[in-house]
Structures are given as structure tokens and as C-alpha cells.
Amino acid sequence: MAENTEQQPGKTIHAGGEWLEAVSGATREIIDPADALPFAVVAEGDEKDTDIAVAAARAAFDGGQGAWPRTPVTERAALLRRVADLLVRDREELGLLESRDAGKTVEEGRVDIDCVADAFRYFADLVAGEAPGRVVDAGTPDVHSVVVHEPVGVCALITPWNYPLLQASWKIAPALAAGNTFVVKPSEITPLTTVALIDLLVEAGLPAGVANIVTGPGHSVGARLAEHPDVDLVSFTGGLISGTKVAQAAAMTVKKVALELGGKNPNVVFADACASEEGFDTAVDQALNAAFIHSGQVCSAGARLIVEETVRERFVAELARRAEKIRLGRGTEDGVECGPLVSEQQRAKTESYVAAALAEGAVLRSGGKRPEPTATRPATGYFYEPTVLDQCHREMTVVREEVFGPVLTVETFRTEDEAVALANDTEYGLAGAVWTADAGRARRVAGRLRHGTVWINDFHPYLPQAEWGGFGKSGVGRELGPAGLAEYREAKHVYQNLAPRPVRWFAG
Ligand code: NAD
């Protein structure tokens, strides 16, 4: 793997085919959240670096007949497949880098890289298999009318820290497949795998200027991308507050905007799902996974357990018992099941939500504190115990707002209508699940949930070929699937008159 950050510390801005330092010369240390120690240095770009990268992307897009937007789709697809192969080649190193950067376990990092490769392959296959346009009937044989889909132009891609390369690939793969050029801005705290991906795109043969990256903060690099007059589309994944700012800035130049924002995702468990020992074990196991994988720093985390009252006590007791056994530690250590939070700020935010919940009457069933340090869990790392809060209700802040930490709240219901009402009682609408042995009820409840993804008797799986995105304040637009490609395209109607003659609307 071309290790740009190690070979050339601070040269992590890529514009027009060159690796550059920040114009200001500023750098940032990247911190390993397991011990709070720096392990890499990147360029700290700002508005000036952003303008350089956008100019490079613009030039590459507007270039001549052989430029990327006009490259035959079969060649674009072949390049994306080469990128997927390079990701597979570098899976171990990239998985490790993702683990150190974002604090996840190495196995989670590896799975992320597999999913990134899948996204590249999916969009390659999707565009390669498409018809080049849709012929429409103009009502006369003298007209040939066709609707084609063209690339939007220069895309600004802004991504978060929890799934750094995965979120970037859900934007980069369709943007490239559709023929766009782009400037990506990864989260300032987890940029390393996205920097590495740019090297792989270059190695796969992508022409200079098509793929550009500016490492740096949201308030300068991100904000400049969102407002930049030469950017045609901004696709943002992150929190509600930043997403709102991006949408406002983009509105001033009437850019296309796609927003993938937060979630407060319900996991609804009916008693009939727990009737057998096997069913009960599966529902508890998946509730743990829904809430605590990657320490709950997942946009679709099942952070709200909504369980039928008759099974609540048994369910919560078992959940809390198993939550306490989750092995916390440095993600690179064998046997560790869950890493630290990504930053001190994220842990402090989690602690304040738990304190507020307890003050509002929640009952602590597990966690609620920092763990004791061990050999695999340095005292300086940002660890926090998986926390189960019982006796919660919809008025509590912890139930309404996204914590983005290892905190599971428990609410109860008596009827199907009540379960649906609770599950939909959120300003978000990203994802949710229903657990039941009754197939009719499963379909009924799934049909009524106002969430972009609904799982029945499962939690978390997604498919590259199925759209991902949210209702309500979880966002605008979709990633993945055909709609995830359509975000990066403009429809163009080409109407060709085969027998032109005067229309004589005007007498003169
Ligand atoms: P964040 O909003 O703080 O930052 C996201 C990105 O936006 C970063 O690159 C940041 O630098 C940039 N940014 C910040 N302010 C900006 C501004 N004013 N203009 C332009 N860019 C700006 O989010 P985060 O803390 O990195 O990530 C966590 C959030 O991401 C959570 O809310 C989570 O739910 C959400 N998320 C959503 C999805 C999804 O698919 N819907 C996936 C992953 C994460």
C-alpha cells in the first residue's frame, strides 16, 4: 500500500495529481483513541487549499473529449473494479489503519474494507449494465427524442469519522461511476484511509484532477466546499447541525445537496419473538449488537430498545448481564470486542447524556462509567462502558437526541399501535427493526415505520444494491442502490428534429 502519510508526513492534500502540504504549512496530529497518542501527521488545509482542489476538479471535469466525464462507461467501470481489487490487496493494512484511526476493532476495520470494495464493484456493475438512454415517443416519426443521464460536475464529498472509508466510498464510487470529478473532505480526526484510497485511485489509473482530497476542519474546508461557486453538488454525511449549515451554504449557489444525517433508531421487540429460548437469545444478542457495536458510534445504532412489557424484565436483565461482559480494549488487541470512543469530546458528550438521563429518572442497569484500565485498555484511552438505561420514556433527552455512544435506553409498550407510535416518535427516521414471530404483524409494523431502512428479525445489515438514507431529519436523498447513483447525475432530454421546417408562429 502506498503509505502517503508515513512517507511524506503532512503532504495529504491531493489536487491536480500532486500531493501537497497545506498552503499555510499547518499540520495536525492524528490521535489513536485507545491511548490518546499521536501516530500520524496530516496537512491542515483551509479555504486556500480547498480553492486549489476545486480548481483542479473543475479543470478535469471541463477538459476535452477524452476527459473523465466523456470516458466510455465500460472504461470507467473497469477502473472501479481495479480499485476494488486493490482494496482487497490492501485489506489488512487498511483495516488496521481504520482501527487505529477510528478506534474500532481490526476485524470491524477489515469488514469495512470488504464493504468498500463491494461498493466499488456494485457501482461498476450498475453503470456497465445500463442502457445509454431512454428513447421517448414524441408522437411523430420526424423526431428522435432521448433522455440521457450525465454527470453533475464537480462534487464536494464531506464525510464523518465513524466509518471513514465506508462513508467516503458510498460517495466516491457512484460519483466516479457517473463520470464526475470530486473533492473529498474526510473528518479531520480520521482522514488516513481516505488519503490512502486516493493513492489507490491513482494506482488504478484515474486521470489527474479527477480525485482530489483536502484534509482539514469543517468550519474552513467543509464550509468553503459547500459555498464554492464551482462546486455543482455537495454530498454530506455527518451530524444534523453541520448538515443544516451545509444545506444553507449550498442554497446560496443552488447546488444539488444530499444529506445523510443522524438517527435515533428504534429496536422493537414483541414478546412472541422471545417465546422460545432460541428466539430470546437471538433477540437479546442482536439488541446488544444493534446498540454497542463500534461503541454505539453508528448512525443506525439501535439505541432505543422498545420492548413489550410482559418480557421487559427478563429481556433487560439478560441484556445488562451480557453488556457487562463485553470486552473493551484497544481495537488492535486479540479478543477485544469493542474499542474506545473516538475522542475525549465524544466520551464527555456520552457522559453528560447519561448524567442527564439519571437525573430525569432513568435506572442504570449496566455501565454508566469509564472502565478500569488494563494492559489492553490504557487509562489515557477514551473508553466508556456499554450502558443500559431502564425505565426511560419519550420525554427524556437521552431518548430523543442522538448520543452516538454506547448507551441503550429501554421503553415499553403494551399494544402494536403503541409500539409503532413510540418507534415513529422521533424527529429522525434513519433505520429501525421489529422482532416478532408473527409474519403478518412483522409486515404490518414494517409498513407503518417511518424509517429509511426497516429490518425484520435482524439489525444492521445493508446491501449496496438497496437504497440507504433517512426520513425526516435523517437527511435528504439516498446513497447506494440506483437512487444513490442518480444523486450524481443530471437528466438531459435531447430532442432531435429529423425534418426541420419553419413553425410560422410569427407572421414576419
Ligand atoms: P459532523 O457533522 O461533526 O462532521 C461531519 C463532517 O462535516 C466532518 O468532515 C466535518 O469536518 C464536516 N463539517 C463540520 N462542520 C461543517 C460545516 N459547517 N460545513 C461543512 N462541513 C462541516 O459529524 P461527525 O461527528 O463527524 O459524525 C457523526 C454524525 O454523522 C452522527 O450524527 C451520525 O449519525 C452521522 N452519520 C450518518 C450516517 C448516515 O448514513 N446517515 C453515517 C455515518 C454517520
Side-chain angles (χ1 to χ4, degrees):
M1 187 172 79
E3 271 280 3
N4 181 277
T5 47
E6 279 185 17
Q7 286 163 6
Q8 310 170 59
K11 271 198 175 182
T12 54
I13 293 171
H14 192 77
E18 300 286 327
W19 283 106
L20 306 166
E21 293 174 357
V23 171
S24 69
T27 57
R28 172 189 289 261
E29 289 181 331
I30 300 302
I31 305 296
D32 184 336
D35 55 19
L37 294 173
F39 72 101
V41 174
V42 297
E44 183 82 329
D46 62 20
E47 292 86 348
K48 287 200 179 89
D49 307 281
T50 309
D51 287 353
I52 291 168
V54 171
R58 185 81 264 162
F61 188 83
D62 295 340
Q65 188 52 34
W68 183 249
R70 287 161 290 283
T71 299
V73 79
T74 45
E75 281 180 37
R76 294 208 299 259
L79 187 136
L80 293 192
R81 290 195 192 101
R82 281 202 294 282
V83 175
D85 292 344
L86 294 174
L87 285 158
V88 171
R89 182 196 72 188
D90 292 349
R91 178 178 188 261
E92 280 303 309
E93 286 165 89
L94 288 168
L96 181 63
L97 200 55
E98 202 73 306
S99 162
R100 294 201 69 190
D101 214 0
K104 55 184 68 187
T105 65
V106 177
E107 187 50 26
E108 283 177 71
R110 291 188 192 112
V111 171
D112 282 9
I113 305 309
D114 293 340
C115 295
V116 172
D118 286 348
F120 275 88
R121 278 197 207 95
Y122 168 70
F123 284 108
D125 292 348
L126 186 61
V127 288
E130 276 180 330
R134 188 177 93 249
V135 176
V136 294
D137 183 5
T140 161
D142 291 342
V143 168
H144 178 73
S145 208
V146 61
V147 176
V148 293
H149 293 277
E150 297 193 345
V152 169
V154 174
C155 300
L157 312 175
I158 303 174
T159 56
W161 48 257
N162 59 335
Y163 285 86
L165 197 57
L166 188 61
Q167 297 301 334
S169 72
W170 288 11
K171 301 181 191 304
I172 290 173
L176 289 178
N180 298 280
T181 63
F182 71 82
V183 180
V184 62
K185 191 213 92 62
S187 167
E188 53 272 42
I189 57 175
T190 58
L192 300 179
T193 48
T194 313
V195 170
L197 176 65
I198 300 292
D199 266 340
L200 297 187
L201 294 175
V202 171
E203 188 179 344
L206 197 67
V210 177
N212 306 277
I213 181 169
V214 183
T215 49
H219 64 79
S220 55
V221 179
R224 180 66 182 143
L225 283 172
E227 70 178 15
H228 203 296
D230 283 339
V231 168
D232 301 293
L233 167 147
V234 57
S235 177
F236 171 92
T237 302
L240 181 56
I241 294 171
S242 322
T244 310
K245 288 183 188 162
V246 165
Q248 281 172 341
M252 300 313 289
T253 46
V254 197
K255 292 178 174 50
K256 286 188 82 177
V257 177
L259 302 174
E260 292 292 335
L261 307 178
K264 192 71 194 179
N265 313 290
N267 186 16
V268 178
V269 180
F270 283 90
D272 61 20
C274 306
S276 68
E277 277 312 308
E278 195 186 350
F280 175 73
D281 175 56
T282 302
V284 171
D285 172 81
Q286 292 241 15
L288 271 186
N289 190 47
F292 297 127
I293 193 155
H294 195 15
S295 284
Q297 302 165 114
V298 183
C299 54
S300 54
R304 281 179 78 194
L305 174 67
I306 299 175
V307 59
E308 192 163 349
E309 201 174 76
T310 51
V311 288
R312 189 206 68 175
E313 184 45 42
R314 182 173 174 232
F315 200 94
V316 176
E318 179 63 3
L319 193 67
R321 188 185 71 76
R322 288 167 66 170
E324 283 183 349
K325 289 171 72 176
I326 291 175
R327 293 195 294 270
L328 294 182
R330 188 192 289 278
T332 52
E333 299 278 350
D334 283 345
V336 162
E337 295 174 319
C338 207
L341 296 183
V342 77
S343 64
E344 182 55 56
Q345 185 192 13
Q346 203 57 29
R347 182 169 62 178
K349 185 178 156 202
T350 302
E351 288 174 331
S352 75
Y353 271 112
V354 172
L358 296 177
E360 287 178 273
V363 174
L364 188 68
R365 299 289 295 259
S366 77
K369 61 182 186 341
R370 300 176 183 196
E372 290 300 318
T374 64
T376 60
R377 209 163 55 208
T380 48
Y382 309 129
F383 296 97
Y384 193 77
E385 291 184 358
T387 298
V388 177
L389 295 172
D390 199 1
Q391 315 264 350
C392 292
H393 55 77
R394 58 220 285 188
E395 279 75 36
M396 288 177 174
T397 316
V398 73
V399 174
R400 311 199 72 83
E401 296 183 9
E402 187 186 44
V403 177
F404 227 57
V407 178
L408 176 67
T409 62
V410 182
E411 299 159 82
T412 52
F413 66 89
R414 292 201 178 105
T415 66
E416 191 176 303
D417 279 350
E418 204 185 339
V420 170
L422 280 172
N424 284 338
D425 186 23
T426 167
E427 61 178 358
Y428 293 108
L430 187 60
V434 51
W435 289 84
T436 176
D438 178 337
R441 168 184 276 158
R443 298 295 289 272
R444 270 194 315 275
V445 173
R448 291 174 68 190
L449 290 186
R450 302 268 307 154
H451 297 268
T453 295
V454 176
W455 293 291
I456 298 172
N457 296 335
D458 213 323
F459 209 105
H460 276 321
Y462 78 92
L463 303 171
Q465 58 272 34
E467 277 75 0
W468 176 265
F471 289 32
K473 290 185 182 169
S474 286
V476 176
R478 290 292 182 270
E479 297 199 302
L480 304 178
L485 179 65
E487 296 283 351
Y488 294 91
R489 285 175 157 173
E490 293 279 15
K492 180 192 275 183
H493 176 201
V494 180
Y495 177 108
Q496 184 179 12
N497 192 338
L498 303 170
R501 53 185 86 85
V503 290
R504 301 289 181 224
W505 184 269
F506 297 111

